[in-house]
Amino acid sequence: MSGKLPPDWMASLNQRVIRQTERARSVPFFTALPGPVRDALADHLVSRQYGKGQRLRGVVPGSTEVHFILSGCVAERATTAGATTLRFRGADSILGDVEIVDEKARTAAAECLTTTWTLSCSLPRMRMLADSEIAIMKGVATNIAERLMNNERVYANYRRSPIQRVCTLLLELDRTSGARAARPPGAPIEVSGPTQAELGEALMLSRATIENVLAEMRMADILRTGHRRYSVSRAGVLRALSEGKPPTPGAADAGPPLPPLP
């Protein structure tokens, strides 16, 4: 394994990711690793920026990489027993975590829905590091377990109403956008990336159902929509709707009326 790197090793990876340095240092997978293990892993990480529409995985067999997402929104489609599921992956997600521990796992296709920053490592190298460092293997296993539980909460709670499920997904997309920490208090929630059809595909709801839910939220002056953009003025109302509670009039976080999105 490599020697210890300087404290600013994350910024030294690539000048293009300097703006993402603090974001990278806060990724739970990295912060949970012992310092020497984290420094050793840094030797094999490459920082990259991907544009909207670019493919991250599932394109060229044999060239698969593991991606630690720093910011952005990625659509990951996995096929199991002939059925394809869509999940949105954002900040703190790891693309390829299952393949690190299971060489027979199929590579899921992943496409950027917005500009996306990642730290990447070749899959063979990540397997070698996970085999040699128990802390890395533990981090991968923890990430897989948390992701599966989160998928159940966000995507697979079929007993909840369509508006509850849509609001829960919008809150999740906001949580993983990588920009939440920089949003001023009281500022609207801004979610971008998925189309309405992709929201429906992820939640296994028809496009008509998604359109009806969004129309209801627009009529209530909770939501403004644009092309692949969703702006919510009242985070508290969105949380209440996701929990099946009636919104409280005059909530403290009720922001000013939203301007139309382009």
Side-chain angles (χ1 to χ4, degrees):
M1 307 298 279
S2 68
K4 187 175 182 180
L5 297 180
D8 63 346
W9 63 269
M10 199 65 81
S12 69
L13 288 171
N14 190 301
Q15 288 301 311
R16 293 177 305 164
V17 86
I18 287 179
R19 288 181 297 167
Q20 296 290 334
T21 299
E22 292 306 317
R23 182 72 202 89
R25 285 183 172 141
S26 68
V27 172
F29 182 88
F30 296 133
T31 58
L33 295 176
V37 177
R38 183 171 60 246
D39 295 338
L41 175 59
D43 270 350
H44 307 287
L45 295 176
V46 177
S47 65
R48 295 196 180 100
Q49 180 184 10
Y50 297 88
K52 175 184 172 182
Q54 284 190 273
R55 300 290 293 272
L56 289 181
R57 313 187 80 239
V59 182
V60 181
S63 62
T64 301
E65 290 182 306
V66 174
H67 296 278
F68 299 87
I69 301 179
L70 301 182
S71 66
C73 182
V74 175
E76 183 182 56
R77 286 181 170 85
T79 302
T80 304
T84 299
T85 57
L86 168 63
R87 298 291 182 260
F88 301 116
R89 310 289 293 278
D92 298 344
S93 297
I94 304 176
L95 298 178
D97 49 5
V98 173
E99 294 161 73
I100 296 173
V101 297
D102 182 2
E103 295 187 10
K104 296 181 180 180
R106 295 186 60 179
T107 300
E111 177 183 349
C112 298
L113 300 181
T114 63
T115 299
T116 301
W117 291 81
T118 74
L119 295 176
S120 306
C121 180
S122 72
L123 179 57
R125 179 67 63 178
M126 274 301 303
R127 284 174 176 159
M128 184 199 73
L129 292 170
D131 286 341
S132 61
E133 294 288 352
I134 187 63
I136 292 179
M137 183 65 80
K138 180 179 177 181
V140 171
T142 298
N143 183 80
I144 293 172
E146 291 178 349
R147 175 167 52 79
L148 292 175
M149 288 189 292
N150 200 53
N151 284 349
E152 287 291 317
R153 178 182 65 85
V154 175
Y155 298 98
N157 201 334
Y158 304 116
R159 293 185 179 181
R160 306 178 78 186
S161 69
I163 193 168
Q164 284 181 271
R165 298 178 63 197
V166 170
C167 290
T168 298
L169 180 53
L170 290 177
L171 286 170
E172 175 67 8
L173 289 170
D174 174 60
R175 184 185 72 83
T176 62
S177 68
R180 185 181 185 185
R183 188 174 64 235
I189 289 177
E190 302 283 352
V191 169
S192 60
T195 63
Q196 294 183 22
E198 287 168 335
L199 293 178
E201 181 183 355
L203 294 174
M204 299 186 72
L205 295 172
S206 70
R207 183 166 182 171
T209 298
I210 295 294
E211 291 174 349
N212 289 339
V213 167
L214 297 181
E216 182 180 343
M217 294 174 68
R218 284 193 295 265
M219 290 180 63
D221 202 26
I222 299 168
L223 177 73
R224 294 290 185 273
T225 58
H227 179 60
R228 294 178 176 266
R229 294 178 62 191
Y230 311 87
S231 184
V232 181
S233 61
R234 301 167 178 84
V237 172
L238 193 64
R239 294 189 199 97
L241 290 173
S242 73
E243 296 168 0
K245 302 175 182 176
T248 302
D253 64 347
L258 294 171
L261 292 178

